[in-house]
Amino acid sequence: MMSASKRSAVRCVVLVLTSCVALACEREDRRLNSQQPRAPSQFVSQVSLQPGPTIVSDTVEGPYDDDAYRTTEGQVLFEQMNCSGCHANGGGGMGPALMDDEWIYGSRPDQIFASIAEGRSNGMPTWKYRLNDQQIWELVAYVRSLSGLTPKGARPSREDHMMVKPAPSQTPNAKPKNSGLPGAAIRP
Amino acid sequence: MHSLFDPASPQARAVASLWWWMAGVGGVIWLGVAALAVYAAVRGRGTRAADDLMHIPAESHRRIEHVVTAGVVITVLILAGFLTYDFSVGRLLAQHPQRALTIDVTGHQWWWEVLYEDPDPSKRIGTANEIHVPVGEPVQFKLRAADVIHSYWAPNLNGKRDLIPGYVSTLWFKADTAGVYRGQCAEFCGLQHAGMAFYIIAEPKVKFAAWLAAGSTPPDPPTDPALRYGMRVFMSSGCAVCHSIGGTDARATVGPDLTHLKSRSSIAAGMLSNTRANLTRWIENPAAIKPGVRMPAVPFSPADREALVSYLETLK
């Protein structure tokens, strides 16, 4: 059996050792009033969390709207850049359909150009650093031809894929639309 | 260089000798017919054809019958002979070897994508517009088209074969003479159909094996800051959207694989020799060299373009 004095000595040592652990405690330093870090100098193009903003436009015609050759070049790009990956040949999938008459950001040429060039929220990438302006205008012409927004004679008459509706050249003419967003989301 | 009359494989030789026989026999017949026509015209001068035909004596009649019968029989025999010969050449070309080096060739508007198959994916080699093959070994091409109908035609090694979208056609040959043989798209495929050439480089087995081994090793990324900048220009601009460079983030398959760009002798599907000046000119404005080409002119600053070309020059 341990003597009473020995026991208290052990207690003492344990107490000292335990309080050593307390020494290791340090209060986290929350710099509540210091200078805020700056953003990096290089920025990438951003998209907003909610759909929009979009541009108000009264442009009616894109530069290649009546150019059948450029429209089909746009069709080739649509395939090569894997637009179909989300828009599924214009029918829509992960991305919105392009052959109907619903337009989140408007169906005028410069509105579609902006959507392709800058990208949009929910996954549409920014293309302006990857494609040049001419290529984006070609895509604009093709996208608009899908729902009959370009002159009938310049629209592609044939698709290489199974389509849920007749070729663009067989689509009835349509009128351009502005954004389908509530007015609050539209900024000039 | 691009000629049916300079065959470099047994297959092309069979086609060439069929051609010579047909041209020879056909030429002799043509000369004979022409001579007979001249003879008939000279002999019959001054007689009135209608009268003659009305009063042909019986024995002349029989003679004419013999001549016509002999003509028909000879014609049928010669044509049947050529038909048999043609079938035998066709059979020779169609008998694919059991084991052959298989190369996937895909026609694009307006260049040739080349992929060396291998069970080991790390040894699959992609290149463009230049096909290296070993001498003395059977080589089989699997021909595909990415957009419209193209046609493979390298007459020194074998005949012509169409590339049809959605269909795999095959063609094989065994090169027996080392050399560089030109090929060309032989089915009108759009604006730059004529500017869609390729080269087949037949080389000794050892040299080919060395090329193949080098092909599966991507070039080291540059360490020099200027070259690293050029690489960044490539990766951050439109280049990487269409082209791929092994060992980097650029993995697109729209345009030709540039992993070993400088190992090729030409650029733009055989249109330009692969020099620094030509490469710069090509990047500056591809449509000035090949109007209608799918590669766009990317608006680089001159300094960026220089850096980009310097980087591309390192892709040996």
Side-chain angles (χ1 to χ4, degrees):
Chain A
M1 266 321 275
M2 228 181 257
S3 70
S5 64
K6 227 174 187 180
R7 213 177 300 148
S8 66
V10 169
R11 272 191 198 146
C12 215
V13 169
V14 168
L15 194 70
V16 167
L17 285 177
T18 318
S19 48
C20 282
V21 175
L23 283 177
C25 289
E26 195 198 348
R27 187 169 178 272
E28 180 195 33
D29 181 21
R30 295 186 185 173
R31 282 167 288 174
L32 297 174
N33 203 19
S34 62
Q35 207 175 14
Q36 287 178 13
R38 286 278 188 81
S41 56
Q42 275 188 318
F43 267 112
V44 289
S45 208
Q46 292 287 333
V47 290
S48 53
L49 287 171
Q50 304 292 325
T54 184
I55 42 176
V56 179
S57 162
D58 52 5
T59 321
V60 183
E61 211 181 311
Y64 294 145
D65 275 12
D66 54 357
D67 190 330
Y69 169 64
R70 292 290 172 194
T71 307
T72 50
E73 288 294 293
Q75 187 177 6
V76 170
L77 273 173
F78 193 87
E79 185 72 28
Q80 289 181 335
M81 297 297 124
N82 197 27
C83 305
S84 288
C86 295
H87 296 286
N89 301 320
M94 206 165 87
L98 303 173
M99 55 167 65
D100 59 5
D101 64 348
E102 304 254 326
W103 296 93
I104 304 175
Y105 303 102
S107 71
R108 295 184 189 274
D110 43 1
Q111 291 167 329
I112 296 177
F113 188 100
S115 294
I116 298 171
E118 302 287 352
R120 294 292 187 187
S121 54
N122 300 327
M124 176 76 185
T126 302
W127 285 98
K128 68 177 173 190
Y129 303 116
R130 298 297 188 176
L131 300 176
N132 66 19
D133 292 353
Q134 179 180 7
Q135 290 175 305
I136 298 179
W137 280 124
E138 287 171 354
L139 277 167
V140 169
Y142 175 63
V143 166
R144 280 167 51 81
S145 77
L146 285 171
S147 54
L149 287 164
T150 58
K152 203 165 193 165
R155 290 184 224 147
S157 56
R158 170 175 170 271
E159 293 280 353
D160 288 332
H161 305 277
M162 279 221 289
M163 298 295 274
V164 293
K165 63 175 225 172
S169 61
Q170 304 301 313
T171 306
N173 295 330
K175 285 252 164 9
K177 277 178 132 181
N178 263 318
S179 166
L181 291 175
I186 301 174
R187 286 167 230 166
Chain B
M1 201 176 171
H2 181 104
S3 167
L4 170 70
F5 308 116
D6 183 20
S9 74
Q11 290 70 36
R13 208 159 287 125
V15 175
S17 53
L18 173 64
W19 191 92
W20 280 115
W21 275 104
M22 282 186 138
V25 173
V28 167
I29 292 170
W30 179 78
L31 284 175
V33 171
L36 284 175
V38 170
Y39 169 71
V42 171
R43 185 171 171 246
R45 211 155 46 160
T47 57
R48 286 173 59 203
D51 287 356
D52 265 16
L53 284 173
M54 289 298 181
H55 310 99
I56 294 172
E59 72 265 28
S60 291
H61 233 292
R62 212 161 298 125
R63 218 170 68 209
I64 291 170
E65 271 174 26
H66 286 157
V67 168
V68 169
T69 312
V72 169
V73 168
I74 291 169
T75 306
V76 168
L77 281 179
I78 290 174
L79 286 180
F82 275 132
L83 189 69
T84 318
Y85 189 5
D86 180 56
F87 279 172
S88 75
V89 171
R91 236 178 111 75
L92 174 80
L93 301 185
Q95 274 167 346
H96 282 248
Q98 288 293 315
R99 286 167 55 81
L101 171 74
T102 305
I103 305 172
D104 286 342
V105 177
T106 307
H108 293 259
Q109 283 176 321
W110 291 275
W111 60 284
W112 303 84
E113 180 187 347
V114 182
L115 185 79
Y116 288 75
E117 284 188 4
D118 197 289
D120 177 358
S122 70
K123 288 186 180 147
R124 267 176 216 159
I125 296 171
T127 179
N129 305 324
E130 289 193 7
I131 310 171
H132 287 246
V133 297
V135 167
E137 269 186 47
V139 177
Q140 178 176 258
F141 287 163
K142 282 190 189 165
L143 305 166
R144 294 179 174 87
D147 30 47
V148 299
I149 301 177
H150 301 277
S151 187
Y152 163 97
W153 187 42
N156 302 63
L157 291 164
N158 199 341
K160 211 179 270 181
R161 190 62 43 90
D162 278 4
L163 281 63
I164 299 161
Y167 181 81
V168 183
S169 33
T170 53
L171 176 129
W172 78 282
F173 61 80
K174 190 160 85 179
D176 53 17
T177 320
V180 179
Y181 306 102
R182 191 178 180 278
Q184 167 73 38
C185 180
E187 175 71 43
F188 182 72
C189 60
L191 279 170
Q192 283 302 326
H193 162 62
M196 187 175 162
F198 61 95
Y199 290 98
I200 293 186
I201 295 132
E203 52 197 8
K205 273 180 221 171
V206 182
K207 220 173 146 195
F208 172 76
W211 177 85
L212 206 61
S216 58
T217 324
D220 292 331
T223 46
D224 180 74
L227 297 177
R228 288 187 69 83
Y229 181 74
M231 185 177 176
R232 207 157 71 225
V233 171
F234 186 96
M235 298 302 161
S236 60
S237 69
C239 308
V241 170
C242 295
H243 295 285
S244 64
I245 295 178
T248 71
D249 290 341
R251 315 267 348 123
T253 52
V254 173
D257 187 305
L258 303 180
T259 309
H260 298 283
L261 174 67
K262 289 311 282 187
S263 74
R264 308 205 276 262
S265 64
S266 66
I267 55 171
M271 294 288 282
L272 296 172
S273 59
N274 194 357
T275 62
R276 192 189 165 102
N278 281 342
L279 198 56
T280 312
R281 205 151 67 87
W282 174 249
I283 292 169
E284 218 170 341
N285 190 4
I289 291 150
K290 281 174 92 163
V293 70
R294 292 267 153 78
M295 176 162 154
V298 180
F300 292 117
S301 72
D304 279 9
R305 196 187 306 118
E306 276 302 298
L308 173 65
V309 173
S310 299
Y311 167 61
L312 292 175
E313 290 280 309
T314 66
L315 302 174
K316 301 246 162 57

